């Protein structure tokens, strides 16, 4: 679908979203030239209505928004740009222009999933994950069992640091096992959601 720049007198709104956390960072406006430059440079570029010119977000502060994906809405008159922010987005120093903290620790699991998948497809002698996969399903499954036992043991004590570390080990090895079996946490979450909806 062709974008309709004429509806807004040559400008269309562009919603900028953090590609990792999903937080909306800011809203700006683009003309055709700004959109072209955004795609070519990989840095979000707006048309500044107050300055009357193209404006690269971060050109003064260095807090660029690095483009990951550009999506058009169903009417062709709004853009959603998923980007990776290099520093605070707002000129006030806030993470977002809506004064929200741009953080969602759970999204790191997506990065970890991708790293595990990469180690499976591109093994390296220096990678623990790759060496684990190399040993086969029995070893990967055994590690999940061992870590589960460690979590149970530490749960009975009062050392929070050890308990959390063992929990992290268990989650990592479970993710590795899921990957070995060509699944991911996403598949587990789908089952949890279906159970929740059924209850």
């Amino acid at each position: 679908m062709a974008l309709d720049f004429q509806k807004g007198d040559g400008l269309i709104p562009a919603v900028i979203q953090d590609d990792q956390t999903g937080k909306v960072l800011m809203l700006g406006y683009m003309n055709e030239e700004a959109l072209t430059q955004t795609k070519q440079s990989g840095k979000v570029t707006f048309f500044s209505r107050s300055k009357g010119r193209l404006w690269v977000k971060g050109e003064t502060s260095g807090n660029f928004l690095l483009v990951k994906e550009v999506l058009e809405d169903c009417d062709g008159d709004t853009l959603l740009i998923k980007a990776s922010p290099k520093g605070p987005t707002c000129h006030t120093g806030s993470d977002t222009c809506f004064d929200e903290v741009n953080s969602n620790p759970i999204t790191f699991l997506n990065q970890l999933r991708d790293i595990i998948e990469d180690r499976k497809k591109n093994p390296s002698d220096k990678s623990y994950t790759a060496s684990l996969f190399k040993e086969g399903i029995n070893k990967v499954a055994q590690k999940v069992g061992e870590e589960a036992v460690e979590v149970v043991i530490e749960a009975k004590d009062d050392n929070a640091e050890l308990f959390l570390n063992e929990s992290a080990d268990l989650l990592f090895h479970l993710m590795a096992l899921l990957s070995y079996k060509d699944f991911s946490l996403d598949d587990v979450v789908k089952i949890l959601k279906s159970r929740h909806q059924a209850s």
Side-chain angles (χ1 to χ4, degrees):
M1 176 186 296
L3 286 166
D4 186 358
F5 284 92
Q6 298 315 308
K7 191 181 290 187
D9 295 324
L11 299 176
I12 58 174
V15 178
I16 314 301
Q17 180 186 44
D18 188 300
D19 72 308
Q20 291 296 318
T21 66
K23 285 282 187 183
V24 173
L25 301 174
M26 67 176 294
L27 171 71
Y29 290 87
M30 292 185 176
N31 60 9
E32 290 187 69
E33 188 181 0
L35 178 57
T36 298
Q37 184 170 315
T38 293
K39 290 179 176 179
Q40 290 177 347
S41 70
K43 294 176 181 175
V44 174
T45 303
F46 298 108
F47 180 83
S48 172
R49 294 171 297 170
S50 58
K51 298 173 185 174
R53 64 170 177 83
L54 295 187
W55 164 60
V56 179
K57 176 69 182 79
E59 64 185 16
T60 303
S61 65
N63 297 331
F64 297 105
L65 294 167
L66 305 183
V67 179
K68 300 300 180 183
E69 189 176 10
V70 178
L71 302 172
E72 302 173 12
D73 81 333
C74 57
D75 293 322
D77 59 7
T78 305
L79 290 168
L80 173 63
I81 299 180
K82 297 185 180 185
S84 174
K86 298 304 168 190
T89 297
C90 188
H91 70 282
T92 64
S94 179
D95 285 354
T96 79
C97 289
F98 304 97
D99 200 26
E100 290 187 298
V101 176
N102 184 24
S103 175
N104 186 349
I106 294 299
T107 58
F108 173 71
L109 294 178
N110 293 331
Q111 291 177 255
L112 184 57
R113 174 199 61 207
D114 293 343
I115 292 169
I116 290 171
E117 281 296 311
D118 181 66
R119 298 297 188 270
K120 183 171 77 169
K121 294 174 184 173
N122 306 294
S124 162
D125 292 339
K126 297 179 180 179
S127 166
Y128 167 76
T129 307
S131 67
L132 189 62
F133 284 137
K134 188 176 179 180
E135 293 193 55
I137 185 65
N138 289 342
K139 183 62 176 180
V140 181
Q142 177 187 334
K143 286 298 294 181
V144 173
E146 289 174 1
E147 298 302 340
V149 170
E150 292 293 333
V151 168
V152 172
I153 291 170
E154 294 304 334
K156 292 174 165 289
D157 293 330
D158 292 324
N159 189 321
E161 183 179 357
L162 286 176
F163 172 68
L164 290 174
N165 272 281
E166 294 299 344
S167 296
D169 288 344
L170 174 59
L171 183 54
F172 168 81
H173 286 93
L174 176 59
M175 290 177 71
L177 179 60
L178 286 165
S179 175
Y180 193 96
K181 301 285 289 181
D182 295 322
F183 296 112
S184 75
L185 279 181
D186 293 347
D187 299 297
V188 177
V189 169
K190 286 176 187 174
I191 293 172
L192 291 172
K193 285 176 72 174
S194 68
R195 290 177 180 176
H196 174 73
Q197 290 165 355
S199 63

